[in-house]
Amino acid sequence: FKFSERLDQLNGSGTLPIGRIHNPEFVRLSASPKFGNESFEVVVSGPIAQGYLEADLSGFGRFETNADGKREWRSGDLVKKIDLNNYEHVGRKDRMMKINGNFVMPSEIEKVAGLIPGVRRAAVVAEKTADKLKMVLWLESGTLSSLDTEVTAATLQTVLPRRMVPSRVNFVSELPILPGGKIDFQQLENWH
């Protein structure tokens, strides 16, 4: 993608285009708008889609082989066409966050936190402050309390890379749950 217009030429639309696809051989959009509101996932092929250096790709659902036998990488970024040559970034299809310049997958942190004795469920949400985004870890436990925050933080620091350690850990007796039984992350983002 390439920025196709200067900011002062957006005619007050309020939408910042991320540009147009210059090389459809390596970048394309998913075949159909499966994510509502006519949004498509950005799919990348070519050298970047070969995988991570010295990594087993079996656990990475983003890498797949298309009908032509080419390896592709599903970025998770959702875009919507705003005119003939421009696309607008409208969100992600997963919960990946960018914290201090690092991409972090909350489910990896939740998995580790869920192994702490006494934790029933774990949920990571982003907290927006005036100047940056921070990660907050919420732990559902009937036995642990806020007194265990330092011990929990120390445990996470020994297991997780520094960039993945949440800024704050909170304990609750119950996390908010949706009717289907999943954690209500949207409600959790409003808790303080």
Side-chain angles (χ1 to χ4, degrees), residues 6-87:
R6 289 179 15 195
L7 291 176
D8 59 358
Q9 296 174 339
L10 290 177
N11 302 322
S13 69
T15 300
L16 177 63
I18 61 171
R20 60 189 169 104
I21 297 174
H22 283 277
N23 191 340
E25 181 182 349
F26 294 125
V27 180
R28 69 173 181 84
L29 301 180
S30 57
S32 60
K34 298 177 183 176
F35 306 101
N37 201 19
E38 296 295 315
S39 58
F40 299 81
E41 182 178 9
V42 176
V43 180
V44 181
S45 60
I48 194 171
Q50 297 309 307
Y52 300 116
L53 183 63
E54 299 177 8
D56 173 16
L57 298 184
S58 60
F60 295 97
R62 295 181 185 278
F63 293 95
E64 51 189 47
T65 303
N66 68 16
D68 297 332
K70 283 186 179 177
R71 181 172 288 284
E72 293 185 323
W73 176 65
R74 295 188 159 272
S75 70
D77 287 306
L78 301 177
V79 297
K80 180 172 72 173
K81 195 166 192 162
I82 55 177
D83 63 36
L84 185 62
N85 292 317
N86 290 296
Y87 294 88

Side-chain angles (χ1 to χ4, degrees), residues 95 125 176 178 183-191:
R95 296 175 43 231
V125 294
L178 293 166
I183 295 172
D184 187 344
F185 290 99
Q186 192 169 7
Q187 182 180 340
L188 201 52
E189 286 173 1
N190 297 319
W191 286 14

